[in-house]
Amino acid sequence: MDQIILITGATSGFGKAIAEKFASNQWNCIITGRRKDRLEAIAKELKEKYKIKVLPLVFDVQSREEVMSALGNLPDEWKQVDILVNNAGLALGRDSFDQANLDDWDTMIDTNVKGLMYVSKAILPLMVERKKGHVINLGSVAGKEVYQNGNGYCASKYAVDALSKSMRIDLLPHKIKVTAIQPGAADTEFSIVRYKGDQTKADQTYIGYKPLYAEDIANIAYYCATLPPHVCINDLVVTCTAQADAIYFHKE
Ligand code: NDP
Ligand code: 8X3
């Protein structure tokens, strides 16, 4: 039977690696993001390489209208979404609370929190109807502990943690699994986005230790998704070996 995974934010980093991992295991993929050219190139590559079906959908998760228009009327052959990966997200800035930029806070809350809620609201009815499904939310160690100058980003990921717990409780009667994956530092485009294109600052984030890579998270998501139906990993905190929690690193 064909299986379908929907991954938000699949134009880079974790989302792209998760799409590749599932595609290589013959899953059909709905992939989303704002960068149309990249998304379409990834769709083409996955289709050709793995002989699977791919539906690329370009939209901004911050826009309720765009989310509902893209996901509210999926073609019939794409309606049986088995797994939703709420991955699209970002950090913007690393400033002290008094100096942080209000627009950055708005964008992080609108993307990481409201975007996840909109996408979930659009897809969950399809899972509830089938009494089957698995939601995987990308949280962060920043949603488990607050670090200095993490303010708005940490708050957004604490909210993701709360939403994962809330979904797990409310979706129990519908047999829908909810897994929160909470990674530590991973070398993706995350830091270049956080530091608004400052490559030097982005590179500094990963100096002196070996961070996680996107493929590590893809392998973990695949493991969580392929456990027997009666088994659900609820909350999975993962860091590289050089990181103990959101704050402590061993750098050489
Ligand atoms: P990347 O920057 O590499 O990827 C982020 C993805 O999110 C891109 O595909 C981007 O696509 C998409 N995205 C961002 N904003 C929007 C939006 N408004 N609408 C639609 N798509 C959007 O970062 P990561 O892969 O590292 O991050 C993925 C998730 O993992 C995020 O939620 C992040 O907070 C979380 N995380 C990251 C960690 C890290 O250290 N890297 C650690 C812990 C958690 P596009 O720009 O094309 O729209
Ligand atoms: C991303 C990891 O440590 O920059 O969520 O918050 S961290």
Side-chain angles (χ1 to χ4, degrees), residues 171-183:
L171 298 171
L172 263 186
H174 305 296
K175 302 182 168 49
I176 295 169
K177 298 187 192 189
V178 180
T179 299
I181 301 179
Q182 324 267 17

Side-chain angles (χ1 to χ4, degrees), residues 148-169:
Q148 190 176 26
N149 300 337
N151 44 71
Y153 181 66
C154 293
S156 76
K157 290 299 184 180
Y158 267 75
V160 171
D161 196 41
L163 289 169
S164 296
K165 288 174 180 155
S166 165
M167 279 183 185
R168 195 173 302 119
I169 295 165

Side-chain angles (χ1 to χ4, degrees), residues 13-219:
F14 298 164
K16 182 168 182 263
I18 292 169
E20 172 110 31
K21 178 73 186 179
F22 281 78
S24 71
N25 284 283
Q26 292 300 298
W27 285 64
N28 295 323
C29 299
I30 305 175
I31 55 174
T32 86
R34 291 165 302 177
R35 288 170 288 182
K36 186 170 188 284
D37 291 353
R38 272 205 198 197
L39 195 70
E40 287 177 352
I42 292 166
K44 186 169 179 284
E45 190 190 326
L46 294 179
K47 272 193 250 183
E48 286 173 4
K49 203 163 157 191
Y50 301 113
K51 312 292 174 218
I52 49 139
K53 293 179 194 150
V54 183
L55 178 64
L57 297 175
V58 179
F59 62 88
D60 186 335
V61 298
Q62 294 175 89
S63 161
R64 190 165 153 174
E65 290 72 29
E66 285 185 35
V67 171
M68 295 310 163
S69 144
L71 300 178
N73 284 303
L74 285 173
D76 283 346
E77 62 168 328
W78 287 102
K79 277 196 163 71
Q80 300 211 339
V81 175
D82 296 286
I83 301 179
L84 163 63
V85 184
N86 278 312
N87 165 74
L90 80 175
L92 283 175
R94 182 97 197 239
D95 309 300
S96 71
F97 198 99
D98 52 305
Q99 285 169 5
N101 180 304
L102 277 176
D103 290 334
D104 289 349
W105 280 355
D106 278 346
T107 306
M108 289 188 283
I109 299 294
D110 288 349
T111 308
N112 301 353
V113 184
K114 290 167 73 180
L116 181 150
M117 295 170 90
Y118 297 155
V119 170
S120 304
K121 276 291 272 181
I123 296 302
L124 281 172
L126 302 171
M127 292 183 171
V128 167
E129 197 182 320
R130 295 170 65 211
K131 290 256 183 288
K132 184 173 185 291
H134 191 168
V135 180
I136 300 179
N137 291 331
L138 263 296
S140 168
V141 290
K144 295 290 184 182
E145 286 149 321
V146 176
Y147 53 79
Q148 190 176 26
N149 300 337
N151 44 71
Y153 181 66
C154 293
S156 76
K157 290 299 184 180
Y158 267 75
V160 171
D161 196 41
L163 289 169
S164 296
K165 288 174 180 155
S166 165
M167 279 183 185
R168 195 173 302 119
I169 295 165
D170 293 351
L171 298 171
L172 263 186
H174 305 296
K175 302 182 168 49
I176 295 169
K177 298 187 192 189
V178 180
T179 299
I181 301 179
Q182 324 267 17
D187 191 357
T188 62
E189 292 179 17
F190 178 83
S191 290
I192 193 79
V193 172
R194 176 172 228 172
Y195 296 113
K196 304 174 184 177
D198 185 333
Q199 190 69 56
T200 311
K201 271 193 182 170
D203 291 345
Q204 275 165 4
T205 310
Y206 309 109
I207 288 175
Y209 69 103
K210 186 172 183 175
L212 292 171
Y213 297 100
E215 291 67 30
D216 299 320
I217 302 305
N219 288 333

